[in-house]
Amino acid sequence: MDALTCRDIAYRYAGNRVLDGISFRAPNGISIILGPNGAGKSTLLRVLATELRAAAGTIAYAGHPVATERDLRWFRSAVGYLPQRFSCMDHASVLDNVVYSAWSHGVAIRDCERAADRALDVTGLREHARTAARRLSGGMRQRMGMACAIAHAPGILLLDEPTVGIDPRQRLEIRRFLVRYAERAIVLMSTHIVDEVPTLANRVLVLDSGHMVFDGSVERFRSLGDERSYSTLWESAYIRALEGAGRA
Amino acid sequence: MGNPRHDCSRGMFAGLVFPWHPAELLAPGLIIVVVGLASSRLCGDWPPRTWHDVAATVRESQLPAVMVSSIAAAVHATVLSKDSIIEPAYGGRPVAKRLARESAVLWCWVSLCYAVGFIPLAVVTSRVATGGRFDVLSYLSVAFGVGTLAVVAFVIAGLVSRRCPRLIAVAVSVGAVAACCAVPVALSTNPVGVSLLALAPYWGLEFPFVGDALSVAVTVSRICFAVLSAVCSVTMMGAWLSRGSMAHRAASLLWLVPPMVMVVVVTSMQPNLVVPDRDARAVCRREGMVLTCVESSYSALLSPVSDGVSDVYERFEPGVPKLVIGAGLHAAFLRDVPGVPDADGYRVADVGLGVSDADTPRSYRDMVLGDVARDLSGVSACGEASGESADIAYLLWRDLESYLRDGEFPDDGDAGPGMASDPASWYEARREPIRTCSLSWKDWNR
């Protein structure tokens, strides 16, 4: 079974340890990364996307460590990454953007269009294929970004707060897509919205100040919650995890 | 069903996928047109009065147009920034390959936009050149050159924008393009104007001819252009040929043929291209039997030419009607130039055509007298012939040139005693064999 395994990942920036000793194993399904601002969620995703180089630690996928340049190229072809804010060809159509993304991720030129069609079908953007990217609403633009990220059918999908600033209906669409996609891929997604845990997650990771303070199943995460003390069960579980209650 | 434009596997253009809609570059294209026209208006009369003016105006309006297209390219390159979703830094394609692909697309469109931007000038040109002989090559080269520079800007901006904000990327790319322009400018500065794109910077110097003068600076400039074009073309070729099936590669290769041919044509044929100015007008002055004409733009040179040559011809060829063709005119095109009287019955001499070769009135006078000496020596009658008479003709040319300029023969000259004592009489007695390139050593030494 394919899985993404990280061991003792560290990342330093300007002398500060932004990530320190991050270890986890993410199998197929959705793993949600929670944490306050500045906890290192985005940095972790960028390290996993190989956009940033870790100062220490190892990453392995499907049992193969990513050690050499060749491994890196192979690993990159297996990763799709959607940053929180992204740029694209605003004047070009949705289809153009996705076709281009497929090509830039290494899809053979003759297969780009087919790959883009598939990605647009999955993200529900088929009827907007000819629409210029700049005319898309926030939610649809986010879905286009996802289509770009999955156009090369990656086994690992990394999403940095994909549902922020999106209306509930669009958020629902994105959630449906993620659940479907996660049936055959590893999805790692950072979010501030704790309510997404019960609807989406198979696994929960909680980061605080660059350290992993919780790594476990949804059920275990839920068990930390206290509905009597807080407005919701899931938010209380999150607070307890940050307080260290979930440490093994 | 897919978009047919993206179907890479069929059709003669298989393998070419242009992700951008053409309309995307309409705005920069429009700006290029406006800036080009505005700068043309500032640079000189509008519409340009002569072919030479058109050529100069086109040259001088290139810099702002290049800058605009470069900025547009650099701004456009921000889709490749570190936050790009379509060109992520972690993507599977090497950065150079991705930039090359984008450059190729951009190059096509910027060239097209620029060519469209020059349609008004092309119309003026065709109107001026009523004979229908207007210089298409110059426009092709302009389009090609500008497109190439924009690609340079784009590549630099693309690389820089991965690490820096957009404004810095723009500034760096514009600076690089300006540097690219500065080299040919430095190399091709000339009295008439400057070529900012390095191609045939001496156009117009030999008024009214286009591109018939070639210097080291021109050669170096054209080499710069050719190298730049070659680098871009090879990069594009590398990007395109490295993917797809054999059919794709063949189609890509075919697509690259036109620009390559264009480079070869532009760089090989241009110096030989001769285009007369259809608006040229002659002004003439008669001194005895000598009628001297220059193009109206060079009327200030009429007196120096006329005064310099009429005395000489009256002395050496008395009684022979002479038509001296001066600056801006050429015997081959005399029939097309209004203002020149009927040349029948005249012996025609080209004198002082190369205005650009003279820096001062004194050097221009020397050049004119050198041309007169060449005319009198009969060297042109000898042509490619070799032998006794041809050798004598060259000796005579050298000695006469020295005599006309300095009033005496050179100390190491070959003039015989008869020629040294009374050159005019000596020449008069041998005029016919000199004119027919048949003078013998025996006649020469008498």
Side-chain angles (χ1 to χ4, degrees), chain A residues 63-230:
Chain A
H64 301 289
V66 182
T68 64
E69 280 298 315
R70 191 174 174 183
D71 296 336
L72 195 62
R73 283 200 295 276
W74 162 76
F75 182 69
R76 282 174 169 172
S77 68
V79 169
Y81 171 50
L82 180 65
Q84 197 171 344
R85 279 183 292 275
F86 59 85
S87 62
C88 63
M89 295 184 290
D90 285 324
H91 291 76
S93 70
V94 171
L95 182 65
D96 286 338
N97 275 283
V98 181
V99 164
Y100 195 90
S101 178
W103 180 84
S104 73
H105 280 91
V107 175
I109 193 74
R110 57 186 165 277
D111 299 327
C112 288
E113 191 193 348
R114 208 175 308 129
D117 284 344
R118 202 181 307 123
L120 292 177
D121 278 340
V122 171
T123 51
L125 284 174
R126 156 64 79 187
E127 62 192 65
H128 299 287
R130 299 296 191 94
T131 306
R134 68 176 187 280
R135 298 193 187 282
L136 296 177
S137 66
M140 294 223 282
R141 182 180 157 85
Q142 200 70 4
R143 277 154 64 190
M144 186 197 75
M146 284 185 193
C148 288
I150 65 165
H152 58 299
I156 304 168
L157 182 59
L158 307 171
L159 306 169
D160 195 356
E161 304 198 20
T163 52
V164 167
I166 293 175
D167 68 66
R169 191 178 158 197
Q170 294 278 354
R171 197 180 302 155
L172 198 61
E173 292 287 332
I174 289 175
R175 285 175 181 170
R176 278 185 191 146
F177 152 72
L178 289 177
V179 168
R180 276 200 307 274
Y181 196 82
E183 288 171 4
R184 52 185 170 77
I186 300 164
V187 177
L188 253 80
M189 166 185 154
S190 71
T191 183
H192 275 117
I193 306 169
V194 184
D195 285 347
E196 287 187 325
V197 171
T199 54
L200 283 176
N202 303 104
R203 198 164 184 83
V204 180
L205 309 171
V206 182
L207 282 180
D208 187 25
S209 303
H211 294 86
M212 186 76 79
V213 294
F214 182 88
D215 173 14
S217 66
V218 176
E219 290 72 28
R220 191 161 153 252
F221 180 74
R222 184 182 186 279
S223 68
L224 300 176
D226 182 356
E227 223 166 348
R228 291 168 303 176
S229 308
Y230 297 94

Side-chain angles (χ1 to χ4, degrees), chain B residues 149-234:
Chain B
L149 286 175
V151 167
V152 172
F154 184 83
V155 170
I156 295 167
L159 290 170
V160 174
S161 64
R162 290 178 176 276
R163 295 283 175 192
C164 303
R166 172 183 298 199
L167 277 178
I168 294 177
V170 170
V172 170
S173 61
V174 169
V177 170
C180 284
C181 292
V183 173
V185 167
L187 291 173
S188 66
T189 303
N190 61 64
V192 173
V194 290
S195 168
L196 300 169
L197 283 183
L199 254 175
Y202 274 60
W203 281 353
L205 270 184
E206 295 296 315
F207 184 85
F209 309 111
V210 177
D212 64 345
L214 191 61
S215 70
V216 176
V218 179
T219 306
V220 172
S221 299
R222 288 166 63 232
I223 289 173
C224 289
F225 169 77
V227 169
L228 200 62
S229 304
V231 167
C232 288
S233 299
V234 168

